[in-house]
Amino acid sequence: MQIKNLISFVKVAQLGSFHAAAKHLHSSQPAISARINSLENELGVQLFERDASGTRLTTRGQQLLPLAQRMCSLQQDIKKQLHDVLPERGIARIGVSDTLAHLWLTELLTSWQHHLPLMEFEISVDVSTHLHQQLMRHQLDLAFIVGPKQSDELCSEPLIEYPLCWVASPELSTKLSDKGTELDLHTLVEFPLLSFPRNSLPGIQLQHALENAHIEQARVHSFSSITNLLPLAEQGLGIALMPEAAAREALNDGRLCSLHVSPGPAPLPFISCWRKDDERHLAPLLNQIATEIIHFNPTEAE
């Protein structure tokens, strides 16, 4: 007997509605109905009567309710006891977008290992669209990706927002400075543009900006990794669009120069996501640790 079926049964009985129970449990009404049907088939009894006046417990349902409530309460007690005295163990599958991995992966993994020393961590660094797909296919437990959330099957929380900026090598910057103090896309496209993949949010925003400026011919080279994008920009192979935080060290060292381009690019919002049907507290716990690291590090979050 699956505990999630009993939890759904108790919630429908308490709220008197499959729709209300689905909303409360962050699930869908068909999923709740399927759980109740499974429970009824397993017990061989009808638990609810449904008609125009609403949803009511049958006699058998009334008999089951206090027993189901006790089992659900016991499950919560077990979770609390294990969480309090036994650290999480097993494998945590975590997806991290390339930008956040570049900025935070060392700090995140160090802290996760400290808080959960019995866990093993399987880290996937990829573009957000791929990580979202893996999360939807149950291949990841938690993902840190570019927002917004794209599915009602996921829980999500805002993580951090980074401004995007245009940067160029000092040599290219000098050539651009001869064209005026404020630049626009028409000036930039005289040189190759370097950015993230076309299906990423920065890539989509760049394509929209080019279309809005009525620019049909632009050489845009895309890269899935900042590790590749940064040195190419430093070597003057093109003008790069990237998160300012990722370019900060190169900007401070003079290996890159920031360009004032109008209109400026929109900031890049990052979110954390995990599946609603994952009843473990692992993903929210890992997310809480990550949020505290990123939010309370003034150097990187500026």
Side-chain angles (χ1 to χ4, degrees):
M1 187 177 299
Q2 296 190 38
I3 190 67
K4 66 180 181 181
N5 294 345
L6 290 173
I7 293 172
S8 299
F9 164 74
V10 170
K11 195 54 61 178
V12 173
Q14 290 174 338
L15 300 179
S17 164
F18 280 67
H19 176 75
K23 185 175 181 181
H24 183 87
L25 295 173
H26 305 292
S27 186
S28 64
Q29 186 167 331
I32 298 298
S33 297
R35 293 175 189 177
I36 300 301
N37 288 337
S38 176
L39 186 60
E40 289 178 331
N41 292 334
E42 184 176 3
L43 297 175
V45 297
Q46 182 179 351
L47 300 174
F48 292 101
E49 293 179 351
R50 284 178 275 184
D51 53 33
S53 62
T55 300
R56 300 183 305 278
L57 284 169
T58 63
T59 301
R60 293 299 190 188
Q62 292 173 358
Q63 290 177 322
L64 176 62
L65 181 58
L67 299 174
Q69 289 173 322
R70 283 162 52 189
M71 289 187 69
C72 292
S73 177
L74 179 61
Q75 185 233 19
Q76 291 300 319
D77 289 342
I78 291 173
K79 277 188 174 182
K80 186 176 185 303
Q81 287 293 326
L82 290 179
H83 178 62
D84 289 343
V85 302
L86 182 64
E88 287 279 357
R89 60 179 70 223
I91 298 176
R93 304 166 303 170
I94 303 170
V96 186
S97 69
D98 181 72
T99 296
L100 291 180
H102 180 81
L103 294 170
W104 293 108
L105 187 55
T106 299
E107 288 84 351
L108 290 175
L109 188 55
T110 300
S111 187
W112 285 333
Q113 288 179 329
H114 172 73
H115 285 87
L116 301 169
L118 301 182
M119 289 293 302
E120 297 177 51
F121 296 92
E122 188 175 284
I123 308 294
S124 298
V125 178
D126 207 335
V127 294
S128 293
T129 50
H130 294 166
L131 295 177
H132 178 268
Q133 292 168 2
Q134 293 175 47
L135 190 61
M136 296 300 296
R137 292 196 295 260
H138 298 265
Q139 295 172 339
L140 293 175
D141 302 309
L142 175 67
F144 300 101
I145 60 177
V146 175
K149 181 181 72 170
Q150 301 175 24
S151 172
D152 290 336
E153 297 180 29
L154 302 178
C155 296
S156 72
E157 291 185 3
L159 192 63
I160 196 168
E161 189 174 83
Y162 283 122
L164 288 173
C165 66
W166 288 102
V167 296
S169 66
E171 181 182 356
L172 277 185
S173 180
T174 299
K175 293 180 180 179
L176 288 165
S177 65
D178 295 337
K179 300 177 181 295
T181 56
E182 189 165 282
L183 306 171
D184 59 21
L185 282 176
H186 289 277
T187 306
L188 297 190
V189 296
E190 296 178 19
F191 303 88
L193 304 182
L194 313 178
S195 187
F196 293 98
R198 293 176 183 271
N199 62 346
S200 68
L201 184 58
I204 293 171
Q205 290 177 345
L206 176 56
Q207 291 301 316
H208 287 169
L210 292 171
E211 291 171 5
N212 291 336
H214 305 291
I215 297 174
E216 297 181 358
Q217 299 295 328
R219 292 167 292 167
V220 181
H221 305 312
S222 58
F223 306 87
S224 60
S225 172
I226 284 186
T227 304
N228 296 323
L229 181 57
L230 266 172
L232 294 177
E234 293 174 14
Q235 294 165 24
L237 270 73
I239 301 169
L241 177 65
M242 65 175 65
E244 191 273 338
R248 184 174 298 146
E249 183 177 340
L251 290 169
N252 291 340
D253 292 346
R255 289 177 282 129
L256 286 175
C257 301
S258 181
L259 306 177
H260 299 286
V261 180
S262 181
L268 198 58
F270 289 91
I271 61 175
S272 52
C273 291
W274 60 95
R275 295 190 61 89
K276 289 181 179 178
D277 56 9
D278 187 348
E279 297 179 351
R280 301 171 302 164
H281 61 275
L282 176 61
L285 176 59
L286 293 172
N287 175 61
Q288 179 183 350
I289 295 170
T291 300
E292 291 174 356
I293 292 173
I294 294 175
H295 281 194
F296 295 103
N297 188 318
T299 302
E300 293 296 344
E302 286 177 356

